[in-house]
């Protein structure tokens, strides 16, 4: 089998040169595939702990966790029922009781990872769900929902629905210390041959300013994205609003001036999602197109698409959604003995506006098919990385840490420090970066190989040997938008 051959070729990977200091290294953890459904609190926590532990070893610094798949919740909500994807039946609380979202926030932050809460905005029922609770929005307000190919969709043409989704977002934001708020690629439903979206009535009522229903639909989604962005940043300006659209914006045959040389489904024409408008207007803080295909795919070539997004979507941080299994199941057209991870990584390095990757999906990464995870851990992601900057939110670094000292405690020798003084969230230290330099090392905090730790703690255990060698440690403060202070230096004999 191909994957076996690829695993044997592990030694052929070219090692990454000059790894970036800043890179978004994310992974999606979804519930809608049923991986947690009905397995119980203890087993779900065990599964998630294993995934997070392995992802931390690999170098992942952000988790995108699905908390709302069909107007339900993987957290206690006064507006929406507990998800069937958690307990097996909608509306049934977990036993023993726990809050998966809060638990994930705690676990990710403990590991130095960001936690981005991921919701599906419009979908109210998946095809496999046959029972909705009385308090579900589709039962409370059936007039605001339409059916399509076994799904229920909150009608994007009704402003009550965008208000409702923003209310859900507001509730999450006010109650949870999340780092990002994330929506995926489902806006208007994916088209099915022979089926029409039942929104002609709403168009006749509300679409008077538009020449056709398609433009009206796009405007509905545009206004929702803008409203959600404003909601997020009004409540917590530092929370990053991200979207992961389908991988094709438009095909060149439909839009010769801007389209990609592809022939697949289109965001703009088929899902009514004008993603470039959101990016260029600054309504989203980051964009993760789902380029799940392989290099050489006839309908949607990965190489064509990463170049396209790099060219047109540079007004906001751009990360690439990668399908792990498709990457390892397809051979590199230029090197048939290797799968496509090395070739895709080279395309990332050649794309100046690509600042990171999000892996689809976490469980498949942890299984390490084709040595995918091992190559990330030992090569491409072997050193820690800070998050990409978002100067459009905040570009001012905090002050440097105070009182950096080396101290003996009962269980060993520690480096300690105090947070810098701050007036508001923009000045506050959220994490710290600790660099360690041997006597002959060049002192350079841009050298990621010298990063000892990125932590939210104010203490770090040192590797004391005999006290004969003098090392230089530098501690910097990093705020919520990853702006890094100048360093505070401490020389220590270890």
């Amino acid at each position: 089998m191909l994957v076996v051959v690829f695993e044997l070729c592990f030694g052929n990977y070219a090692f990454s040169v000059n790894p970036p200091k800043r890179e978004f290294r994310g992974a999606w953890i979804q519930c809608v595939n049923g991986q947690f459904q009905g397995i119980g609190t203890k087993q779900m926590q065990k599964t998630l702990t294993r995934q997070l532990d392995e992802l931390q070893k690999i170098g992942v610094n952000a988790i995108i966790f699905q908390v709302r798949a069909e107007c339900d919740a993987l957290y206690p909500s006064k507006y929406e029922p507990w998800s069937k994807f958690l307990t097996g039946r909608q509306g049934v609380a977990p036993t023993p009781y726990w809050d998966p979202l809060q638990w994930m926030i705690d676990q990710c932050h403990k590991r130095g990872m960001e936690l981005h809460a991921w919701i599906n905005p419009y979908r109210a029922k998946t095809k496999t769900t046959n029972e909705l609770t009385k308090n579900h929005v589709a039962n409370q307000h059936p007039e605001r929902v339409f059916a399509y190919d076994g799904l229920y969709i909150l009608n994007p043409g009704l402003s009550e629905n965008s208000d409702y989704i923003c209310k859900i977002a507001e509730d999450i934001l006010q109650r949870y210390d999340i780092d990002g708020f994330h929506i995926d690629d489902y806006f208007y439903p994916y088209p099915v041959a022979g089926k029409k979206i039942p929104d002609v009535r709403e168009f006749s009522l509300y679409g008077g300013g538009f020449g056709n229903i398609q433009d009206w639909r796009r405007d509905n989604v545009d206004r929702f994205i803008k409203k959600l962005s404003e909601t997020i940043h009004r409540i917590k300006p530092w929370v990053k609003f991200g979207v992961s659209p389908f991988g094709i914006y438009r095909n060149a045959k439909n839009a010769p001036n801007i389209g990609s040389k592809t022939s697949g489904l289109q965001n703009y024409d088929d899902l009514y999602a004008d993603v470039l408008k959101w990016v260029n207007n600054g309504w989203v803080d980051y964009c993760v197109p789902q380029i799940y295909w392989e290099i050489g795919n006839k309908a949607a070539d990965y190489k064509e698409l990463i170049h396209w997004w790099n060219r047109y979507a540079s007004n906001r941080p751009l990360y690439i959604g990668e399908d792990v299994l498709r990457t390892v199941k397809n051979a590199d057209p230029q090197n048939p003995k290797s799968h496509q991870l090395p070739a895709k990584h080279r395309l990332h390095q050649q794309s100046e506006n690509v600042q990171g990757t999000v892996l689809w999906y976490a469980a498949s990464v942890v299984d390490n098919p084709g040595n995918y995870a091992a190559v990330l851990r030992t090569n491409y992601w072997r050193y820690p990385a800070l998050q990409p900057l978002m100067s459009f939110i905040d570009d001012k670094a905090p002050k440097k840490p105070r009182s950096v000292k080396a101290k003996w405690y009962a269980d060993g020798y520690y480096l300690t420090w105090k947070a810098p003084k701050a007036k508001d969230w923009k000045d506050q230290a959220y994490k710290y970066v600790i660099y360690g330099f041997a006597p002959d090392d060049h002192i350079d905090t841009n050298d990621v190989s010298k990063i000892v730790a990125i932590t939210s703690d104010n203490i770090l255990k040192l590797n004391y040997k005999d006290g004969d060698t003098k090392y230089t440690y530098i501690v910097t403060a990093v705020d919520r938008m990853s702006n890094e202070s100048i360093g505070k230096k401490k020389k220590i004999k270890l």
Side-chain angles (χ1 to χ4, degrees), residues 129-419:
T129 296
N130 300 312
E131 180 185 15
L132 299 176
T133 59
K134 288 183 179 179
N135 69 324
H136 190 277
V137 64
N139 284 329
Q140 292 286 312
H141 298 283
E143 75 283 358
R144 286 170 29 194
V145 176
F146 64 72
Y148 187 89
D149 191 39
L151 305 170
Y152 286 171
I153 306 293
L154 294 178
N155 192 334
L158 299 174
S159 61
E160 303 96 296
N161 284 332
S162 59
D163 291 341
Y164 174 73
I165 301 165
C166 288
K167 181 175 71 174
I168 299 301
E170 187 169 344
D171 179 50
I172 293 172
L173 288 157
Q174 288 176 337
R175 293 165 53 205
Y176 295 98
D177 184 21
I178 59 175
D179 302 286
F181 196 93
H182 187 88
I183 60 174
D184 53 15
D185 54 321
Y186 295 96
F187 302 101
Y188 277 87
Y190 276 63
V192 175
K195 296 186 182 295
K196 294 184 178 180
I197 297 172
D199 62 351
V200 174
R201 177 180 175 275
E202 286 77 18
F203 176 59
S204 67
L205 289 172
Y206 309 117
F210 296 89
N212 59 66
I213 198 169
Q214 291 81 11
D215 287 341
W216 173 71
R217 288 172 180 163
R218 275 185 287 274
D219 184 67
N220 291 332
V221 182
D222 287 346
R223 287 186 290 107
F224 161 68
I225 294 292
K226 185 173 185 289
K227 183 184 295 185
L228 181 56
S229 178
E230 290 170 347
T231 299
I232 292 166
H233 293 124
R234 171 175 51 82
I235 298 169
K236 289 183 177 175
W238 60 85
V239 171
K240 304 165 184 178
F241 176 34
V243 60
S244 57
F246 185 73
I248 299 171
Y249 176 68
R250 302 193 78 184
N251 298 315
K253 64 182 179 182
N254 295 85
N257 294 330
I258 198 172
S260 54
K261 296 175 183 177
T262 50
S263 56
L265 187 89
Q266 304 163 97
N267 276 293
Y268 184 92
D269 303 81
D270 302 314
L271 303 177
Y272 308 102
D274 192 352
V275 183
L276 285 193
K277 185 176 184 179
W278 312 340
V279 168
N280 289 327
N281 285 347
W283 296 343
V284 296
D285 298 322
Y286 68 88
C287 181
V288 193
Q290 297 173 19
I291 311 180
Y292 288 168
W293 303 277
E294 69 276 10
I295 298 169
N297 184 287
K298 292 182 179 179
D301 180 13
Y302 180 97
K303 183 177 181 180
E304 163 71 14
L305 285 166
I306 193 172
H307 286 330
W308 187 93
W309 286 98
N310 179 67
R311 179 180 179 185
Y312 289 104
S314 62
N315 197 47
R316 283 292 183 264
L318 173 64
Y319 318 138
I320 302 300
E322 301 274 3
D323 187 302
V324 172
L325 294 179
R326 290 193 203 184
T327 298
V328 300
K329 287 179 179 178
N330 288 279
D332 179 354
Q334 304 301 317
N335 182 11
K337 292 185 178 181
S338 170
H339 61 52
Q340 293 194 353
L341 174 57
K344 287 185 174 181
H345 185 76
R346 285 193 297 272
L347 289 171
H348 278 240
Q349 291 179 311
Q350 295 163 10
S351 304
E352 62 181 354
N353 295 315
V354 172
Q355 300 181 51
T357 309
V358 184
L359 304 175
W360 177 258
Y361 49 97
S364 65
V365 182
V366 169
D367 290 338
N368 193 31
N371 267 333
Y372 191 102
V375 174
L376 292 182
R377 183 180 66 252
T378 60
N379 184 5
Y380 304 135
W381 292 359
R382 69 188 184 276
Y383 299 122
L386 293 173
Q387 296 290 344
L389 293 169
M390 292 189 176
S391 57
F392 49 88
I393 296 178
D394 173 34
D395 63 356
K396 185 179 178 182
K399 294 180 180 179
K400 62 184 178 182
R402 300 176 296 137
S403 302
V404 178
K405 297 178 181 178
K407 294 182 179 180
W408 280 101
Y409 288 90
D411 62 338
Y413 203 34
Y414 284 83
L415 185 69
T416 66
W417 58 90
K418 292 182 180 179

Side-chain angles (χ1 to χ4, degrees), residues 16 25 29 59 71 108 113 134 159 170 190 254 290 299 304 399 427 445 478:
S16 182
R25 300 171 179 175
I29 297 182
C71 293
C108 287
M113 300 173 175
K134 288 183 179 179
S159 61
E170 187 169 344
Y190 276 63
N254 295 85
Q290 297 173 19
E304 163 71 14
K399 294 180 180 179
D427 303 321
T445 55
V478 177

Side-chain angles (χ1 to χ4, degrees), residues 91-122:
V92 175
T95 306
Y97 186 87
W98 69 307
D99 180 343
L101 176 53
Q102 185 59 56
W103 187 89
M104 282 292 289
I105 292 169
D106 294 339
Q107 293 294 317
C108 287
H109 288 176
K110 183 172 72 174
R111 291 170 173 81
M113 300 173 175
E114 291 190 346
L115 189 285
H116 294 224
W118 160 25
I119 73 163
N120 182 284
Y122 291 114

